[in-house]
Each structure stands twice: as C-alpha cells, then as structure tokens.
Amino acid sequence: MFVKEKESITNAGLHDIDQQYYLPTFKRYPLAFRRGEGSRLWDIEGNEYLDALAGIAVNNLGHCHPTVVKAIQDQAAQLMHISNFYVSEPQMKLAKMLVSRSKLERVFFTNSGAESVEGALKIARKYAHTQGRGGGIISMHHSFHGRTLATIATGKERMQRGFGPMPKGFYQIPFNNIEAVQEKVSEEIAAIILEPIQGEGGINIAKPCYLRALRELCDRENIVLIFDEIQCGIGRTGELFAKDHYEVQPDIMTLAKGLGNGFPIGAILSNEKVSQAIDFGDHGTTFGGNPLACAAAIATLEVIDSQEILRKTIRKGFWLKEMLEDRIGKHPGLKEIRGLGLMIGAAFDFETKPLVAEMMKRRVLANATAETVLRLVPPLVITYEELEQLADVIAASLKALE
C-alpha cells in the first residue's frame, strides 16, 4: 500500500504502511504527525494535540523553535558535514560552551544517547586499565542507558532476553543504596554509572546524600563516576545539568536528547584525569559533531540562556505538581507525584497505559513508564494555560477509567 494523493493520507493509512514495512520494534499508536509548534502538534488529518512528552524529553524548547530552525537552515546552506579529520567553527564553539557550563574539561560528540554511553564506558575502562584495575561496570536497578549490547547489559533483564550472550563485566545493584555499592566495589570495578533522575525507570530521584557518598567512594577507590544526563540534562530539571542540584561533579557525563532540540546530537564530557587515558584512534565517529548538528545545539543553549528557561522551568514544575495535587491528589490509586522541574512522574497502583490512551482521546500526549508511572516531560516552553489543560485532562481521563 502506498499513499499517492495528499487528500487520501490518514492516520490509519500511514499506520498500515508502518505495519507492512517498518521493523516491528515499536508498538506504535495509529497516529501520524505532520507539523509542530511550541507545545502543540497537528496530525496528518489536521487534529491538534497538546504534547506533554516532547519526543521523550527531546524538544525542550518546543517544536520548531524559530531560533533553532534558523540556525539549522543557515548552517545547512553553508556546510553540513566534514570528516572529523578536520575542525569546524560550530564544533569548536559548542565544545567551549559545554565545557564552560559543565566544568568538565573535554568533550566528544556523538549522534545519540546510546553512543554517548558506549563512549563513556570505553573511556572509563581505558582509564581503569591504566591504573591496574579491572573493567567491571556497576549500574543501577531500573536504569536505562540505551539499547546497544553494552547499554542493555547495564539495564533491565527483560531488555536482554534473546540477545545473549551479554557482554561480561556488568553488575546491577539497587538505586539509592550506598551499602550495596560498597559491597560490590573491588579492584575489578572500573566505573559506576547512574542517572541522577531515572527516567525510564519511573522518575526516581537520587538522594543528595547518596550522590555525595558515591563521589567520596569513587575518589577513595579511584573508580570513575559516570552521570547519564541524557534525559534529565539540558534544562529539563530547572538546572542545565541535574548534577548541579546536588553540587556533585562526575568524572564523565553523557548528554543527548534535548541537546539539539530535536536534531540528533549527543556528547560525552569528561574531566582531564580520565581523558588523559585516551590515545589517538581509541574512539571515533563519522557523523558525530558535524557542523549542522552543532549549530542546532549552539542555538538551543543560547535560547536557554537568553530566555531564562531554567528559572521558568523550576517555577512551572512546582506549579504543575501543585495543580496535579489539587486535581488528582485524592485519587485512590495515586501513590506519589515526584520529580524535578518539568521531569515529573505520577505513580499509581495500576498500569498507566490505559490512562495514556484515554488522554490521547482528549488530544493530550504523555507516556506510561515503569508500568505504573505516568511520565510528564513537556517542552520547557509550555505555557501555564497549557499546564492547566494537561492537569485537567489527566483528571478527566482518570474519571473516565473509573
């Protein structure tokens, strides 16, 4: 089946084509979007939706932010790609911006979050080997770091099924439990990787004392501490990086998602200590850090700075949580509303996929994660009126499911 006439394109028709030709890795809704602006999306049939998912914490400045669009258009007309045998002005400008903001000394650009994590693990293991340590990697229960072989080895067992044998040297322990870390630490451990706020795991927030204790343990044992800020970074929590809420500095930090506001780009930031272990040829990328992607990221960071996005995100996050407490706080199935900034989870005692489907009927997009958590990661530019609409639709959808 092929679509020939614009007038014949429908959500169902494109979904049928998807079912026929696309590798069945996604359980997609029969919904096809054509256009976006700010916190709004329009499907192929012209229906308007409020987007509280933002491409899963990607479109932090909303869809088609004019500054980012113009930066991409201008750069595309000048230079899109060169080999990393050479340098480009956008790449060097973005490198300086990220290093100065993160207080980490080195950067490497990738195309995605999983690539960023893979590279971070390589840097950590290379450093550990120069110190006579093993290559073991400790990660946390309910974590999510990607879907490559190494990254699924750090995560949930259900994501590993059918893809064995798994890479060796990966160990999972409970999140927010420093005693579990201490029990697992040995000369065989190269690094500890975690998300300061677990996204896919259900919006689980690291305790400040836990991250400080991890930093002290890693300093004492000469273990590399990696923060995965792919979802919680780039302003999502009201700080440019979630680590800044805790005033804890990792040795390596990974970024992606919101960095290009929808244009694919990721980054690995590392301190000088671990970076010194990398030699020429130890890692590489064809497309990572190309001028076009870097131009999108530069524009994204400049808008975050110039429009006080971080301060506004903190206020909007508090406001939304209060609104949710008012609208659904007494619902018998609600267990907790948690999060930082505009990375919010409403935890229930039932599966939330039916709730997401009910919200979609009311043309509001959200996401169910960790089975029982409603994940809300809207664009940071969402208005207070739109946040009120979001809370009202959640309340109405819960009532419809009773």
Side-chain angles (χ1 to χ4, degrees):
M1 173 185 178
F2 291 95
V3 176
K4 295 181 180 179
E5 301 291 338
K6 182 177 179 181
E7 291 74 24
S8 68
I9 299 175
T10 64
N11 289 318
L14 286 180
H15 188 255
D16 287 344
I17 297 172
D18 169 73
Q19 298 292 293
Q20 184 175 355
Y21 293 106
Y22 202 89
L23 193 70
T25 55
F26 304 112
K27 200 169 186 179
R28 302 207 221 222
Y29 296 100
L31 192 54
F33 290 109
R34 168 173 280 162
R35 183 170 70 87
E37 182 179 345
S39 300
R40 300 282 168 172
L41 283 167
W42 286 264
D43 71 17
I44 209 79
E45 298 170 11
N47 301 305
E48 181 180 334
Y49 294 77
L50 175 63
D51 185 6
L53 185 58
I56 314 182
V58 169
N59 302 105
N60 287 3
L61 299 180
H63 297 280
C64 300
H65 191 283
T67 302
V68 180
V69 169
K70 187 174 189 307
I72 292 170
Q73 290 172 334
D74 289 349
Q75 188 61 51
Q78 184 175 353
L79 181 67
M80 288 192 283
H81 175 76
I82 55 173
S83 166
N84 275 305
F85 285 139
Y86 316 106
V87 297
S88 74
E89 185 178 0
Q91 189 183 96
M92 295 306 99
K93 182 176 180 179
L94 181 59
K96 288 179 67 175
M97 292 175 77
L98 287 174
V99 164
S100 66
R101 286 160 172 76
S102 68
K103 303 299 187 290
L104 292 162
E105 287 90 2
R106 299 282 180 171
V107 64
F108 181 91
F109 292 115
T110 70
N111 307 285
S112 68
E115 283 182 61
S116 296
V117 173
E118 287 267 2
L121 298 180
K122 284 182 68 176
I123 295 169
R125 280 184 164 176
K126 185 69 185 297
Y127 173 76
H129 292 162
T130 67
Q131 303 297 304
R133 302 185 67 88
I137 306 294
I138 293 175
S139 60
M140 307 300 152
H141 291 167
H142 310 296
S143 67
F144 180 79
H145 300 291
R147 294 182 187 272
T148 61
L149 279 174
T151 54
I152 64 173
T154 67
K156 301 173 185 176
E157 185 178 343
R158 67 176 176 82
M159 290 188 177
Q160 301 173 9
R161 293 176 195 145
F163 299 107
M166 282 292 103
K168 295 181 179 179
F170 292 86
Y171 312 97
Q172 288 82 47
I173 60 173
F175 185 57
N176 268 331
N177 186 330
I178 193 64
E179 289 80 14
V181 182
Q182 292 167 338
E183 290 175 7
K184 198 66 183 176
V185 162
S186 72
E187 286 293 318
E188 290 303 310
I189 299 302
I192 298 170
I193 183 170
L194 74 156
E195 305 149 89
I197 303 177
Q198 293 184 329
E200 192 73 18
I203 317 298
N204 305 311
I205 304 172
K207 298 175 182 176
C209 59
Y210 174 66
L211 291 191
R212 287 195 293 269
L214 274 181
R215 180 67 276 174
E216 292 171 3
L217 182 148
C218 288
D219 286 340
R220 186 169 62 250
E221 300 290 339
N222 200 18
I223 292 171
V224 177
L225 180 60
I226 305 171
F227 283 176
D228 179 342
E229 295 226 13
I230 289 160
Q231 186 167 156
C232 62
I234 314 299
R236 173 56 51 189
T237 66
E239 293 281 0
L240 188 60
F241 309 113
K243 71 181 181 65
D244 296 334
H245 288 286
Y246 300 92
E247 297 184 354
V248 174
Q249 187 77 329
D251 299 296
I252 303 175
M253 179 171 66
T254 60
L255 301 173
K257 285 191 179 286
L259 182 56
N261 200 55
F263 200 97
I265 182 171
I268 309 162
L269 288 147
S270 53
N271 62 26
E272 194 65 30
K273 181 182 80 171
V274 301
S275 301
Q276 289 284 336
I278 295 298
D279 295 321
F280 296 118
D282 277 347
H283 200 53
T285 176
T286 296
F287 295 108
N290 66 74
L292 190 55
C294 289
I298 290 166
T300 299
L301 292 174
E302 288 177 343
V303 171
I304 289 173
D305 287 346
S306 65
Q307 297 185 13
E308 297 186 310
I309 297 295
L310 301 180
R311 179 181 61 82
K312 294 174 183 177
T313 297
I314 289 283
R315 292 174 59 187
K316 289 175 182 177
F318 279 125
W319 200 84
L320 178 56
K321 283 191 285 188
E322 288 184 0
M323 186 72 64
L324 291 172
E325 288 287 357
D326 177 68
R327 299 292 198 278
I328 66 171
K330 294 182 180 180
H331 189 280
L334 179 68
K335 297 172 65 177
E336 182 184 11
I337 298 169
R338 55 183 181 248
L340 279 175
L342 285 172
M343 187 174 182
I344 294 173
F348 294 90
D349 62 6
F350 53 83
E351 290 193 6
T352 49
K353 284 184 179 179
L355 174 58
V356 169
E358 194 64 35
M359 291 172 63
M360 194 177 299
K361 292 178 184 177
R362 292 165 170 77
R363 295 182 181 167
V364 172
L365 307 176
N367 170 247
T369 191
E371 307 297 337
T372 58
V373 177
L374 177 69
R375 173 166 48 178
L376 304 173
V377 284
L380 308 184
V381 297
I382 192 170
T383 66
Y384 286 99
E385 183 180 4
E386 289 169 332
L387 288 172
E388 188 168 5
Q389 178 189 352
L390 171 60
D392 287 342
V393 167
I394 293 171
S397 298
L398 284 168
K399 186 173 181 61
L401 292 172
E402 291 176 357

